Each structure stands twice: as structure tokens, then as C-alpha cells.
Amino acid sequence: MTIDVATGISRILKQEGVGWVSTFPVCRVNNALGREGVPMLMMRDDRYAVAVADAFSRITAGSRIGVCTFQGGVNAAGMQYAYAGMAQAYEDGSPVLCITDGVPAGSSGNSQYDVASAMKTVSKWFGYLDKPERTPELMRRAFTMLRSGRPGPVILAIPNATATYDETADPYRPVKGWKSAPDPADVRAAVDQLLKARNPLIYAGEGVIYAGASEDLKALAELVNVPVITTLKAKGAFPENHPLFVGVRGDQVAHYLNKSDLILAVGSSLSPGRFSHGIPDAAQKTIIHCNVDELHINKMYPTAHAVIGDARLTLQALRQEVSDRTSGAGRNAGDVAAEVKAARDQGLARYRQVMNSDETPINPYRVYGDLMEVLDLKNSFVTHESGNTRDQLSTVFDTLIPRGFLGWGNVSTLGFSLAAAIAAKKAFPDRASVAVTGEAGLGYMLGNLEVLLREKLGITVVHISNGGFAGYGPGFWGPGHDPFTHRVLGPDEVDMSKVIGALGFHTERVSEPAEVIPALRRALDVNTSGRPAYIEFICCQYPVYGQWVGRGE
Ligand SMILES: Cc1ncc(C[n+]2csc(CCOP(=O)(O)OP(=O)(O)O)c2C)c(N)n1
Ligand SMILES: [Mg+2]
């Protein structure tokens, strides 16, 4: 059967189990998607088209691949706008498939922007479909890239979507993706060191989530009786009510990072950035680096031992080795849990105190504490924004299941929380889905709020309304920070609940601490019937949260 490329791609996406595609028009594949019955979630700009698909891949840990389309080709406004979303997906290692129009043969080099070289900087692989009959080959390769190895975005450019090929010549079969198990000698060497260490610490990264290895992480941590910290992107990889959980950030995390003599890093690239810890005194510690990508070894810190392979297979092998050596008894290390509890209680004391604050304007921690009370933490989704909401929530929000919270931000692009909350609703329609934002994130979202109404996506946007851009560090308010670029029209001048209410959202504006819980309950309640909600909490400026450590600053 002769079919056109766009139809072939649509059918292959269906074979690969892709249930919907996010988009912003125009892309020449879209009409075929429509004809073939692949639903499209039309966002209101190209960056969000990428971000929703990206977030879907993250939230499902790559078990369901997010796919998006946007305009490409010559003078590709859509692609240029989508670039921000792709750059973020690339920095954060998200396996999203981006399909766009390619520059047609004979048209390359006739405009200023070089599509291919730009796309190569933000993708694991950039595929250009130069012949229609290569459609199955390139799709096969794309899904292999998306489902194997270190996760990252794949971009496919289609220069001629109406060109035809014989669908039966190279029939498409879905790609399962492949994993590798570590070298047993490396596992033995790692366990030698681990059992010798006095103060080992497990440093878990997002690879644990992509490998579906949370249970294995827990089993290993318990067997070796070792405290656990997670990266921001891995928040939730380890249950945060577990006696061995130290935190993502906060004084107790700094304490354990400093005191450790061995770091067992699993599923983390160990790349210190703006939103991650470095390893303090790394040269004095033994770093055992378990990673799927050998190119992260010896990247920033001297690696004592590397264990290369899938995080789940690695954790299972480590556990088996420890168990064999200790006749199943594990590592005897005293009352580690009691020490962790004491460190957490001390580190979190000042946050827990303000979670019960009755002050007005409302303390943001009061909102976070009440949010934890209202949500079923085993059946809900929360995400942060760039700014104080990230810094504060990653310090205190208790995440009990993988992806009960999405931490994001090797690169922390404002506005992503809305995309994440939408993707979470698509992935788990029965879960409450909450995006917590400041005014800057809200500004990025505004144009896309219509999508929630149109698609009946019952999510709640919680606005920590503090009248300005606190941003990084102790805030943009004091001297030495950014005193000239923080002030926007605040709650006294603009009533955002009226603005967003006029669109059709359920909205409330809350200034009394006692009203936080009832307002959240009402919002989550309307969400269950597919109506989105926006709650503006009039909050104080409270730039207090745990720090990132070990970055040599
Ligand atoms: C696209 C993008 N541009 C710039 C930044 C830098 N940035 C981080 S936080 C922030 C301001 C945040 O202010 P607000 O949303 O009010 O949150 P608050 O910190 O006050 O809680 C800015 C400009 C960013 N993260 N993303
Ligand atoms: Mg603000």
C-alpha cells in the first residue's frame, strides 16, 4: 500500500502506543494525525507544545513517550519559539519526540537561521527524513533513542510530508528499548568500598525514576543502612517519610554531604548546576558513580569506581552482592535512622514552625503545609515554579510516591509548571494535579490557560502572590540583590482572581490563613468535574529555604 509520509508517521505513532500529540499549528504532519484519529492537544504556543510532551515523558518515566509537533522548515517561527522547550528538555534529559517540518531539498541555506545545526544542539538525535521510504527506519531509530540509554529529546524533521512510499516494503514493528546490566567486577569493587566506609551516603538521581527502581533503591538503602538524599529532579524516587530519607535540600542535607566519606551516586550525572548540590571536598571522598552513561564518569569529580548500567539492574546487583557477603544481614552501622531523624528535626524546625503560622499576609510555608494536609500524597501530583516556590517546596514538601512531585530544573524555565500539571492530568486523570507558582511563572502561563477550559483539564494553579519577583538567593528585595527588577503590579493593584475568573476558572483570593485549607478543598473539588481552578494566596515575602552546597561559591 502506498501512503504518504505524514500518514505513515501517524500510524507508527499509534503502533508505538502514543495516545495523543501536543501541538501548536502549523505542522504538515498534523492533518494526517487528525485523519488517522490521533487526538491533538493544541496548546497556545510552541514552547508549551514541547513542554507538555516533555513533562508527559518525565511524569511517566518514559514508559509513555510524549510527542509534539510544531512548525519548522524555512523561516520557522514555530521552531524558533519551541527552541526554549527543546533546550529545557535536553538539559533535563527528557525523552520527548519532537516532529517538525524539515527544510525542503533545494531550500537549505536560503535564510539566516540554520535549522539543522540549531536542532543538533538541543537533541540526543536530529533526524532528517530525506527519502519517504526511510520513514519506518527513522521512526525505529527515534524510538530506540527514546527508550534506550540516557534519556533525551529526539527531533525528526520532515521536509516533504506528502511524498509517498510503500508501507509494506519495511513493515514497522514497535521498539521495546534495551537496558544493560553492570559488570560484576565493578559491582564487587563498589561493594568492597561501600562496606568499608564509615559514613556512606546514597545520592539518588532521576535515573532511578526512569529505571523504575524506587523499590530497589529502598531495598538497598535498608540493607546497607545508609541515609539517602535525592536530587531535585529525583524528588520522590525515595519515599520521603522513610526513616533513612535525609532530604533534597536543607541544613541536614548539607550536614550529611559534608560528613560523608563515600558517596554512592545512582542515576545522577553528578553535574553541579544552579539547582543541585556539588560534592563538598570531593577529592577527599570515595565517589562510586552508578550511571547509564559512561560519559558522566570522571566528569566533574574524580570517580573512584564506576558501575555502568541501568539503575534498577545496578541496584539489584549491588544488593545481591551485599547480601551474599553478609549472609543477608547487611551493614551494621548503629542507629542511622535515629541520627537522620534528629538531623531532619533540627534542619526542618524553622520551616515546620511557619507551616503553622497564623500571620498575615500568609506565610508561604503555611500554604505548603496545608497543601500537604489536603492532598492524598499517595494519589496526587504537585509541581513548583522557578523562584521561591521551587526552593521552598523542594525543602519541605513530603513526596511519598515517584512523581507525586515533579522537581525540574537543571534549567528552570518559568512557566513549565503549567505544562507539568497538564501532563500529570493526562497521565493520571484521577489524581489531583497542582501547579504552585509565583507571579513570573503565572505571566508565562496566561495565554495557555484557555487550553484547560477547552480540554476540561481540572487542575489547580496555586499562586503564592508576594507582589514581586523574589527569584534566587535570599530574594530580590534587599541590597546586593536585584532591587531594580523585582517589582510588578501586586495584589493591591491587580486582582488576578478576577482576571482568570473571567476566563471561566473557579477562582478565589485568600488572605486569611484559616481559609487556606477550605479554599484548596473547594478548588480540588471543582477539579474533579474537569473545571480548572486558580487560587491566589496573598503571601508575605519570605525568601527562606535550604541551600545548595558544595559548589565552591
Ligand atoms: C524563562 C526564564 N527566565 C528567567 C528566569 C529567572 N528567574 C527565576 S525566578 C524569577 C522570578 C520569580 O518571581 P516569582 O514568579 O514572583 O516567584 P517568587 O520568587 O517571588 O516566589 C526569574 C526572573 C527563569 N527561571 N526562567
Ligand atoms: Mg513573586
Side-chain angles (χ1 to χ4, degrees):
M1 250 282 274
T2 297
I3 57 169
D4 63 77
V5 169
T7 302
I9 288 173
S10 306
R11 291 184 184 167
I12 290 170
L13 291 178
K14 284 198 285 189
Q15 277 185 273
E16 287 290 1
V18 173
W20 54 275
V21 170
S22 58
T23 190
F24 186 76
V26 296
C27 172
R28 296 196 183 94
V29 172
N30 283 356
N31 287 343
L33 290 171
R35 280 193 302 270
E36 290 294 314
V38 179
M40 276 174 281
L41 175 61
M42 188 173 71
M43 299 304 296
R44 295 293 294 259
D45 69 63
D46 325 74
R47 175 266 172 127
Y48 271 96
V50 179
V52 168
D54 163 351
F56 188 74
S57 288
R58 296 187 201 216
I59 289 161
T60 63
S63 64
R64 287 186 274 168
I65 297 293
V67 182
C68 62
T69 64
F70 48 80
Q71 179 194 34
V74 177
N75 299 141
M79 173 183 281
Q80 292 183 10
Y81 210 76
Y83 189 88
M86 289 185 284
Q88 185 185 7
Y90 187 57
E91 280 257 46
D92 274 10
S94 173
V96 53
L97 176 58
C98 305
I99 299 175
T100 185
D101 313 310
V103 176
S107 294
S108 65
N110 68 349
S111 75
Q112 304 304 313
Y113 182 75
D114 180 355
V115 170
S117 48
M119 293 301 102
K120 281 177 187 168
T121 63
V122 289
S123 58
K124 183 172 173 179
W125 181 55
F126 171 69
Y128 180 80
L129 191 74
D130 56 1
K131 276 195 163 165
E133 54 270 34
R134 295 187 74 188
T135 301
E137 173 202 329
L138 265 68
M139 291 298 280
R140 205 157 42 222
R141 189 157 169 191
F143 275 94
T144 302
M145 296 268 185
L146 292 162
R147 296 206 172 111
S148 310
R150 175 175 140 69
V154 166
I155 304 171
L156 277 186
I158 316 297
N160 185 357
T162 54
T164 56
Y165 68 103
D166 175 4
E167 195 185 17
T168 59
D170 176 10
Y172 191 83
R173 273 184 293 276
V175 174
K176 77 177 256 303
W178 289 270
K179 301 180 193 318
S180 55
D183 181 340
D186 290 334
V187 172
R188 285 196 295 274
V191 169
D192 283 345
Q193 295 292 327
L194 181 61
L195 293 179
K196 260 196 278 178
R198 293 162 63 90
N199 292 305
L201 178 68
I202 294 178
Y203 188 99
E206 206 180 20
V208 172
I209 292 182
Y210 278 106
S214 287
E215 283 300 319
D216 302 282
L217 175 63
K218 187 154 95 66
L220 178 72
E222 287 171 357
L223 182 67
V224 293
N225 199 9
V226 169
V228 177
I229 68 173
T230 68
T231 63
L232 173 62
K233 290 200 297 149
K235 185 168 163 54
F238 193 75
E240 298 191 349
N241 57 355
H242 191 284
L244 290 172
F245 179 67
V246 176
V248 173
R249 63 201 292 185
D251 291 352
Q252 77 280 15
V253 177
H255 167 75
Y256 272 94
L257 275 168
N258 281 311
K259 130 175 175 173
S260 62
D261 60 344
L262 178 142
I263 304 271
L264 177 67
V266 185
S268 161
S269 64
L270 288 182
S271 311
R274 289 177 87 132
F275 311 109
S276 57
H277 300 290
I279 308 294
D281 295 323
Q284 315 311 321
K285 298 186 198 292
T286 301
I287 297 179
I288 299 179
H289 201 171
C290 308
N291 204 281
V292 73
D293 185 351
E294 68 278 6
L295 297 182
H296 287 313
I297 306 308
N298 281 324
K299 184 177 170 187
M300 299 298 292
Y301 304 114
T303 303
H305 289 290
V307 186
I308 308 292
D310 171 74
R312 189 160 59 88
L313 298 174
T314 300
L315 286 163
Q316 287 171 352
L318 291 169
R319 182 169 155 227
Q320 187 62 51
E321 182 68 22
V322 172
S323 185
D324 289 351
R325 294 229 202 148
T326 60
S327 311
R331 197 181 73 107
N332 187 358
D335 200 346
V336 176
E339 278 173 46
V340 168
K341 183 175 180 337
R344 263 179 73 81
D345 285 346
Q346 202 184 343
L348 292 171
R350 62 175 165 160
Y351 308 109
R352 287 177 179 158
Q353 196 186 353
V354 282
M355 279 182 193
N356 295 309
S357 163
D358 284 326
E359 67 184 303
T360 50
I362 303 169
N363 189 292
Y365 284 99
R366 170 71 191 248
V367 179
Y368 310 144
D370 285 358
L371 189 58
M372 282 192 257
E373 202 162 312
V374 165
L375 289 171
D376 172 358
L377 296 178
K378 293 204 162 151
N379 192 34
S380 56
F381 174 85
V382 173
T383 192
H384 60 86
E385 255 305 331
S386 183
N388 272 205
T389 62
R390 170 197 53 233
D391 302 326
Q392 295 174 336
L393 285 165
S394 58
T395 304
V396 301
F397 193 87
D398 291 328
T399 307
L400 305 190
I401 55 168
R403 298 311 196 205
F405 185 97
L406 185 70
W408 43 276
N410 283 345
V411 60
S412 187
T413 311
L414 282 161
F416 188 72
S417 71
L418 182 75
I422 290 173
K425 204 38 150 184
K426 298 291 283 180
F428 302 106
D430 297 334
R431 284 188 192 166
S433 179
V434 178
V436 184
T437 185
E439 18 286 314
L442 189 67
Y444 280 75
M445 294 173 196
L446 281 173
N448 280 271
L449 293 180
E450 177 268 339
V451 178
L452 306 186
L453 295 160
R454 174 162 38 86
E455 294 282 334
K456 300 193 174 35
L457 292 164
I459 73 163
T460 288
V461 175
V462 166
H463 178 189
I464 302 296
S465 180
N466 61 10
F469 297 159
Y472 305 126
F476 281 5
W477 297 297
H481 303 295
D482 286 2
F484 302 105
T485 54
H486 77 274
R487 201 167 290 125
V488 294
L489 295 185
D492 294 339
E493 294 98 359
V494 184
D495 186 340
M496 287 308 291
S497 70
K498 286 202 179 123
V499 174
I500 296 172
L503 285 174
F505 276 54
H506 166 84
T507 66
E508 297 193 36
R509 163 177 263 221
V510 177
S511 46
E512 284 304 317
E515 275 305 305
V516 175
I517 284 185
L520 286 171
R521 289 220 162 99
R522 286 188 290 269
L524 297 174
D525 191 48
V526 301
N527 285 170
T528 58
S529 53
R531 186 170 179 212
Y534 162 85
I535 312 289
E536 179 179 17
F537 292 103
I538 310 300
C539 288
C540 65
Q541 301 177 341
Y542 196 78
V544 176
Y545 41 80
Q547 295 303 312
W548 302 116
V549 296
R551 302 191 312 192
E553 283 169 5

